[in-house]
Amino acid sequence: MGQGRESGYEEFAAARAGHLYRSACLLTAGDTHLAQDLVQETLGRLYVRWARLSRVGNPAAYAQTVLTRTFLAHRRRRSSTERSTDVFPDLPGTADGDVPLRLTLLQALGRLPAKDRAVLVLRYWEDRSVEETADALDTSSAAVRTRCSRALARLRELLGEDLAEYAGS
């Protein structure tokens, strides 16, 4: 690969890594180690295809799609020796006053199925349209709207009284 292409990739990766990591943390419901692994795998996949991707109109959106699909694939192939936990590792950079709210939201997200989490992260964290979300998840727009509505209802149900505690703050 030519030096110009590599430097273009390095600039892109440096600029997007933080955003991808934050999205991955939401997808993994706060599992920072898995989030780092997903970002690393995503950036590796992008590097292999960078010669073609650098000509794409929006490589950042493509990177987010790769991250989401990598997360969903990981959830499907998770080894039977891995066990999920409800204990979250220390989250760096969360020293502000919203820590209890963030942890409550991460715990609630963690209780949702992986596809529901992916829909909510893409629609509300990434601020993607229904069509863009459908494309990223390789599904129909109607399926995204339905899953999004049900996932939000389930999230509200999971948060229940916890949400009321933060609404007044």
Side-chain angles (χ1 to χ4, degrees):
M1 190 178 281
Q3 185 63 24
R5 288 183 186 159
E6 272 189 31
S7 67
Y9 171 79
E10 289 172 5
E11 291 171 13
F12 173 82
R16 295 302 300 169
H19 187 78
L20 289 170
Y21 176 71
R22 287 186 295 277
S23 294
C25 283
L26 290 171
L27 288 170
T28 62
D31 184 343
T32 57
H33 300 290
L34 178 56
Q36 290 170 348
D37 291 345
L38 292 173
V39 170
Q40 185 68 31
E41 187 172 339
T42 297
L43 291 174
R45 289 180 181 190
L46 293 174
Y47 180 77
V48 171
R49 294 187 176 95
W50 187 250
R52 284 179 284 162
L53 293 178
S54 61
R55 294 185 297 262
V56 171
N58 191 353
Y62 184 78
Q64 188 64 38
T65 297
V66 171
L67 174 68
T68 304
R69 290 182 180 173
T70 301
F71 164 72
L72 292 173
H74 170 78
R75 295 295 300 170
R76 283 191 298 270
R77 70 174 184 259
R78 185 173 51 155
S79 166
S80 62
T81 62
E82 294 180 15
R83 301 283 184 241
S84 59
T85 179
D86 62 348
V87 178
F88 293 103
D90 291 336
L91 299 175
T94 58
D96 57 32
D98 288 342
V99 172
L101 175 60
R102 287 179 190 214
L103 290 176
T104 300
L105 288 173
L106 283 174
Q107 288 172 342
L109 275 173
R111 294 175 61 192
L112 294 175
K115 286 188 178 181
D116 287 354
R117 256 184 281 162
V119 165
L120 292 179
V121 169
L122 289 172
R123 286 284 292 131
Y124 299 107
W125 172 255
E126 292 294 321
D127 198 28
R128 290 206 183 183
S129 69
V130 171
E131 293 76 21
E132 290 170 329
T133 303
D135 185 49
L137 297 174
D138 199 24
T139 190
S140 70
S141 296
V144 167
R145 285 190 292 274
T146 300
R147 185 171 291 277
C148 193
S149 175
R150 290 179 182 164
L152 282 173
R154 178 71 177 133
L155 189 62
R156 286 185 189 107
E157 180 183 307
L158 289 171
L159 290 170
E161 294 178 23
D162 289 342
L163 188 60
E165 177 183 330
Y166 298 107
S169 324

